[in-house]
Amino acid sequence: MRALTHLLGGCGLLVILALFAVSCSNPSSPSPVAGQSTPTPTPPVITPRDIDDTQEAWCHGLIEISRLSRPPIGDWQGEANRFVDKMYDFNGPYQFLFRPTLAYGAHAFRTDRAGTLSYFIGGNEREYPNDGQGFARGPWTDCHASNDLPRGVKGVQIYGNIALAMGTATLTDLQNKPTVVDKIFVFRKLPDNTVKLMVHMSAKANEAPTPTPTPTPK
């Protein structure tokens, strides 16, 4: 009987030591349970401020490429590469979609980095012969993006870490002539809180037909 009591006492000590080891483990790293996967972290929610800041950064980057491509010449090619990598979501879980303002024909739609970079600075005659010297080289001096629509409507929709913004981008050239572009941007907020464009569609604003059509008679 005395031997049995000694044996049970030893087992109890082992159990206590095991429980103590578990209690001292990292509480932020729960032990996996059989048949259950590790919970996926909740993506950060995108905010209206995120949208405004990203559109402002897009405008700033475009103008910087244009500025560096004019005398005194700077590293406009390097700036363009940094611009597309910063602004566009080439490595996201969804296919990147880009419909540039002045692209047409077989090259109207771009879905990769090479096509995006070519649209902004050209230089890819083999794949994109119609891009010329590139849209970003303008020469532009100012850019402003707005999501304000008629009748006081704000052209923004937010769905968690995804947001859609519809509105205009106004670009001003060296002759102080504005060019208004209609645009739809779709943003994704990444786990590191950076925001990138996963969809970009733009087109020159429609002008009223001449002569103005006669209203249909009632």
Side-chain angles (χ1 to χ4, degrees):
M1 177 63 72
R2 183 175 300 173
L4 180 59
T5 301
H6 179 74
L7 177 61
L8 291 175
C11 292
L13 180 60
L14 289 175
V15 171
I16 292 171
L17 289 174
L19 291 174
F20 178 77
V22 170
S23 67
C24 291
S25 63
N26 185 357
S28 63
S29 303
S31 301
V33 179
Q36 294 184 3
S37 59
T38 303
T40 302
T42 303
V45 175
I46 196 168
T47 67
R49 177 63 182 270
D50 289 329
I51 296 170
D52 291 342
D53 289 348
T54 305
Q55 289 184 154
E56 183 177 344
W58 185 89
C59 276
H60 175 79
L62 188 76
I63 297 304
E64 190 67 4
I65 296 168
S66 182
R67 183 186 69 81
L68 291 171
S69 69
R70 301 191 299 270
I73 302 297
D75 184 19
W76 55 271
Q77 292 175 311
E79 184 65 26
N81 277 273
R82 290 187 289 272
F83 171 76
V84 297
D85 287 336
K86 175 183 177 181
M87 301 308 308
Y88 293 101
D89 195 8
F90 300 116
N91 300 312
Y94 308 101
Q95 178 65 60
F96 171 69
L97 305 174
F98 183 26
R99 170 57 171 93
T101 307
L102 301 179
Y104 59 90
H107 306 119
F109 296 93
R110 316 287 171 99
T111 58
D112 59 11
R113 186 184 187 280
T116 303
L117 182 64
S118 176
Y119 177 73
F120 285 112
I121 61 170
N124 193 341
E125 293 290 332
R126 179 179 178 182
E127 297 294 330
Y128 302 97
N130 301 321
D131 287 347
Q133 293 188 345
F135 178 80
R137 299 180 67 186
W140 309 114
T141 60
D142 187 61
C143 172
H144 173 70
S146 171
N147 300 317
D148 295 329
L149 303 179
R151 300 182 181 179
V153 175
K154 197 73 172 178
V156 172
Q157 299 178 3
I158 295 177
Y159 306 92
N161 70 321
I162 303 293
L164 295 80
M166 182 171 72
T168 59
T170 302
L171 300 130
T172 305
D173 64 17
L174 286 173
Q175 284 71 47
N176 206 35
K177 179 182 177 181
T179 297
V180 180
V181 174
D182 296 336
K183 56 85 180 169
I184 296 177
F185 286 165
V186 180
F187 306 92
R188 182 172 77 98
K189 193 167 187 178
L190 282 62
D192 64 0
N193 289 317
T194 58
V195 179
K196 294 192 175 187
L197 284 159
M198 52 189 288
V199 178
H200 173 176
M201 181 168 184
S202 55
K204 291 189 70 175
N206 293 333
E207 297 180 357
T210 305
T212 304
T214 303
T216 303
K218 294 182 180 179

